[in-house]
Amino acid sequence: MKHYGFFRSSAAFRLRIALNLKGVAAEHVLVNFAKQEQFGDSYKSVNPQARVPSLLLDDGTVLIQSLAIIEWLDETHPNPPLLPKDAKGRARVRGLANLIACDIHPLNNISILNYLRDKLQVPEPARNEWYRHWIAQGFDALEALLADSKDTGKFCQGDAPGIADICLVPQVFNAQRYECPLGGYPTLMRVFDACMKLPAFDTAQPMKQPEAAFIK
Ligand SMILES: N[C@@H](CCC(=O)N[C@@H](CS)C(=O)NCC(=O)O)C(=O)O
């Protein structure tokens, strides 16, 4: 199996965490955003969307979209489970995960930020304001959802990490990178801290990836 990713990509970070939690080894193939390799013919022949992550299976199948890949991983490697056994629990976890993956992350993706900069001529302070706005709006909701639910435990759902935590941690890394104020999110940050104590999350973080040594 080959995992195409980039150390700063939060969607690739999600997949790294999931692979670690499952104990599944995949060869890391660097798609170097600093060299725009996501747009090159070589990578676009793997994933025409020019986004990471992608997972190339041994039979030649390519899977795209982090949450679809993670659910495939969960179905094919059931232990430890990343989704609850009950339908209501699964819907809650997917709701939390999608809040991040569908409603926060896409607005702050590199191609959106570059479009604001290059096509719309938005200056850096306003781009940063944009970034922080969408994080704050999403995290306000996430904090309320986590703080008000008896289903929240040590992690987003109960006392074992799952798909919501896998989305939460990379998003907090992004927020920290853009110096978003995080003091108003005690429950969210408590879950983040619990995740980061686990080697599966810790070793997946951007600065612990091999390319962090030579790419800014
Ligand atoms: N919904 C996709 C998002 C993938 C995505 O947008 N990845 C970003 C990095 S986090 C990317 O490849 N960006 C390249 C670009 O915007 O040029 C997923 O969950 O896999």
Side-chain angles (χ1 to χ4, degrees):
M1 246 187 312
K2 289 183 180 178
H3 162 216
Y4 293 80
F6 182 63
F7 73 129
R8 283 206 197 289
S9 157
S10 53
F13 187 176
R14 290 177 203 147
L15 181 55
R16 292 195 296 268
I17 298 167
L19 288 165
N20 289 346
L21 284 169
K22 295 292 187 181
V24 170
E27 182 191 335
H28 169 51
V29 181
L30 171 64
V31 181
N32 190 343
F33 286 7
K35 294 184 176 170
Q36 306 268 302
E37 281 178 0
Q38 71 270 37
F39 301 118
D41 290 344
S42 165
Y43 184 60
K44 280 177 81 177
S45 71
V46 176
N47 181 352
Q49 201 193 0
R51 301 259 175 126
V52 298
S54 305
L55 191 69
L56 173 62
L57 307 186
D58 293 339
D59 69 0
T61 305
V62 176
L63 303 180
I64 64 161
Q65 291 286 336
S66 60
L67 288 180
I69 303 172
I70 291 168
E71 289 217 20
W72 169 84
L73 197 58
D74 202 36
E75 287 167 17
T76 53
H77 301 77
N79 289 309
L82 300 179
L83 282 165
K85 289 208 183 336
D86 63 302
K88 246 193 287 184
R90 283 198 296 279
R92 177 173 183 268
V93 168
R94 288 185 175 122
L96 297 172
N98 286 352
L99 188 159
I100 297 167
C102 302
D103 295 343
I104 302 178
H105 173 261
L107 290 162
N108 289 344
N109 195 6
I110 187 164
S111 45
I112 277 62
L113 298 177
N114 288 348
Y115 189 85
L116 291 174
R117 183 191 62 199
D118 300 336
K119 292 274 192 246
L120 303 183
Q121 312 276 301
V122 177
E124 189 176 5
R127 294 199 307 274
N128 290 343
E129 168 57 28
W130 164 282
Y131 197 103
R132 292 182 191 125
H133 172 76
W134 297 115
I135 298 242
Q137 203 192 58
F139 277 11
D140 286 351
L142 202 53
E143 175 64 25
L145 288 161
L146 292 174
D148 295 348
S149 172
K150 62 177 178 19
D151 294 329
T152 306
K154 188 173 171 194
F155 298 99
C156 288
Q157 176 88 2
D159 292 328
I163 284 180
D165 307 286
I166 286 172
C167 289
L168 173 66
V169 164
Q171 197 60 61
V172 171
F173 267 79
N174 285 355
Q176 289 172 331
R177 189 167 166 226
Y178 276 78
E179 298 175 351
C180 301
L182 295 173
Y185 310 117
T187 319
L188 186 158
M189 290 307 292
R190 172 180 65 70
V191 171
F192 171 79
D193 290 339
C195 289
M196 291 310 296
K197 290 200 173 79
L198 302 178
F201 285 79
D202 178 54
T203 60
Q205 64 174 282
M207 294 316 285
K208 295 197 173 174
Q209 305 317 300
E211 63 264 31
F214 59 91
I215 304 173
K216 279 206 175 162

